Amino acid sequence: MRGIALLGSTGSIGTTALRVIDRQRDRFRVAALTAFANTELLEQQASRFQPSFVGLVRNGTEHNSRWQTGERCLVDAATRDDVDIVLNAVVGAAGLDATLAALEAGKRVALANKETLVMAGDLAMAAAKRGGGEIVPVDSEHSAILQCVTGRQAGDIRRVILTASGGPFRAWPAERLARATVEDALHHPTWTMGRKITVDSATLANKALEVIEAHYLFDLPYDRIEVVVHPQSVVHSLVEFVDGSVLAQLSAPTMELPVLYALTHPERVPDDGVRPFDPVACSPLTFEPVRYDQFPALRLGVQAGRAGGAAPAVFNAANEQAVALFLEGRITFVDIASAIDSALETLGDTASGSREALLAVDAEARRHVRRLFSC
Ligand code: NAD
Ligand code: MG
């Protein structure tokens, strides 16, 4: 029985993960659960899964007196002795310390919280090396790549091709994009996800985060990571090997599979809960080039990844802040990419280094974006 700490249990990935773990209860036990503020759902989950530890990040909300409150609960959940796997399904930079602490403590981190790797990829890799932990991706594209490359040598890979659904604005002309509303951006064609990642999928900032994530996870230079638009979200990514052969991983668009694989990798276990694959029903499968000029956040993010230093952390923080302002109705859709551009222009050259330095540049990038729009 392997113990799981599920961080962010009340979100989209968190609730998906609990469905998977429930079906796999012969193999896994929920040792710890944490949520931000949804006490009602957390209480239901705790009474169903009976974890030894429950954490609530937000202080001051009425809650069960046995729960631990405050930000610290994430790290405490992630480093418990009865935890083998930390499924980090927190959104944003808030997940950073738990990822680092879990890797340092030798745990497997099943990572949905991609912002962590983008912000502090070097620190996370160093923590894993020191502590003996490992990162296994939950992101569907990276899960697909991992499934294609498992058992191969690093030198066998020529390039990886990440698929992108293209989001709700894939075919929108520039004039219409300038008028896109929050409701439009939250209307994703193929995936149901949390609000922040849904907006990231509309700007394609999500794909930039994923390119940087792939760079760290698979130790690949940026010129060997490409992106192609695939509107059906059935081919989750492709890997081209040195002999020219290309492997892909396919399934109906569901996060249950990548969550399950992140828990069991490199093994596969029977699971009859996932929707069966029907090649005819999901036909035709199509691929198109990315419209980089319409979705500047993708190019900006990849440039930040290539620049290294604190640039990816600036990209991530500026994006998080701009998306929050967009969701509050205070800036427009196209302002998100302008905000990222401006933050990178001003702060992109900052050297990185310690966790403290990254947190400082993260805070500075958020301030920069708020000032830009007088918010
Ligand atoms: P969500 O908004 O549905 O859930 C976010 C979770 O994070 C919630 O449980 C919330 O309690 C917790 N949280 C929010 N702010 C927090 C804070 N300050 N401190 C601690 N916890 C906090 O989002 P989601 O769609 O489940 O996405 C979670 C992560 O997984 C994101 O990094 C996202 O990019 C990634 N991801 C999601 C999907 C998907 O299909 N939803 C796919 C791939 C990757
Ligand atoms: Mg993804």
Side-chain angles (χ1 to χ4, degrees):
M1 214 44 143
R2 309 200 76 201
I4 298 177
L6 175 54
L7 314 182
S9 65
T10 54
S12 167
I13 290 287
T15 50
T16 302
L18 285 175
R19 279 201 305 280
V20 172
I21 295 166
D22 200 23
R23 293 202 298 268
Q24 297 289 338
R25 54 187 170 273
D26 296 348
R27 288 188 173 81
F28 301 108
R29 164 177 183 269
V30 177
L33 289 175
T34 76
F36 183 64
N38 188 344
T39 48
E40 204 175 312
L41 182 53
L42 184 60
E43 184 70 66
Q44 282 172 27
Q45 294 175 337
S47 88
R48 167 123 186 77
F49 291 93
Q50 297 288 316
S52 341
F53 177 97
V54 180
L56 182 69
V57 172
R58 183 139 92 196
N59 278 311
T61 321
E62 205 178 308
H63 62 275
N64 189 315
S65 58
R66 290 189 304 274
W67 297 355
Q68 182 184 317
T69 57
E71 266 172 42
R72 174 80 208 172
C73 74
L74 297 171
V75 168
D76 288 349
T79 51
R80 290 174 59 83
D81 286 343
D82 60 353
V83 166
D84 304 291
I85 304 173
V86 176
L87 205 166
N88 189 345
V90 168
V91 58
L96 178 67
D97 284 346
T99 296
L100 296 179
L103 292 170
E104 207 64 78
K107 315 287 188 193
R108 166 175 292 195
V109 176
L111 188 71
N113 178 224
K114 63 190 94 181
E115 293 90 347
T116 289
L117 256 193
V118 170
M119 184 182 173
D122 293 326
L123 290 185
M125 292 303 151
K129 210 168 188 179
R130 267 196 312 274
E134 62 170 346
I135 303 178
V136 182
V138 167
D139 220 347
S140 56
E141 295 76 3
H142 306 76
S143 176
I145 294 169
L146 181 65
Q147 293 180 56
C148 292
V149 304
T150 293
R152 309 253 49 109
Q153 309 291 324
D156 294 348
I157 304 171
R158 184 183 285 162
R159 61 180 176 139
V160 299
I161 306 171
L162 300 175
T163 51
S165 70
F169 305 141
R170 177 175 62 90
W172 283 35
E175 325 74 80
R176 201 174 159 205
L177 265 183
R179 297 190 309 270
T181 65
V182 171
E183 203 192 346
D184 294 330
L186 290 178
H187 194 76
H188 197 277
T190 47
W191 297 100
T192 309
M193 312 178 284
R195 286 157 63 90
K196 190 260 178 181
I197 185 178
T198 304
V199 176
D200 287 352
S201 302
T203 58
L204 296 199
N206 181 52
K207 216 42 63 176
L209 297 172
E210 293 186 354
V211 168
I212 300 171
E213 187 186 4
H215 165 76
Y216 281 109
L217 285 173
F218 303 108
D219 196 20
L220 285 169
Y222 285 95
D223 54 11
R224 286 164 58 198
I225 307 170
E226 291 172 27
V227 177
V228 69
V229 172
H230 165 54
Q232 297 82 21
S233 304
V234 168
V235 176
H236 298 302
S237 279
L238 308 101
V239 179
E240 184 179 72
F241 292 92
V242 284
D243 59 2
S245 182
V246 177
L247 294 189
Q249 185 263 339
L250 286 72
S251 76
T254 166
M255 288 308 293
E256 294 194 6
L257 256 175
V259 165
L260 176 63
Y261 189 74
L263 302 178
T264 66
H265 165 81
E267 284 173 38
R268 292 188 180 278
V269 301
D271 188 291
D272 52 16
V274 174
R275 184 151 40 113
F277 180 67
D278 179 345
V280 175
C282 62
S283 294
L285 298 180
T286 59
F287 299 89
E288 333 168 338
V290 176
R291 292 160 65 213
Y292 282 97
D293 47 336
Q294 305 295 342
F295 299 101
L298 174 52
R299 197 185 298 284
L300 289 168
V302 176
Q303 273 166 8
R306 284 179 184 272
V314 172
F315 170 76
N316 179 63
N319 180 55
E320 278 191 38
Q321 181 63 77
V323 170
L325 294 177
F326 171 68
L327 286 170
E328 289 165 17
R330 302 170 79 161
I331 66 172
T332 68
F333 181 75
V334 291
D335 285 339
I336 299 173
S338 316
I340 296 170
D341 195 5
S342 169
L344 282 169
E345 195 65 41
T346 311
L347 298 163
D349 290 341
T350 317
S352 61
S354 64
R355 165 189 170 277
E356 289 67 29
L358 285 173
L359 290 176
V361 80
D362 174 288
E364 187 52 38
R366 285 170 205 258
R367 267 195 301 276
H368 178 91
V369 171
R370 287 195 300 271
R371 268 200 308 267
L372 199 59
F373 300 103
S374 314
C375 294

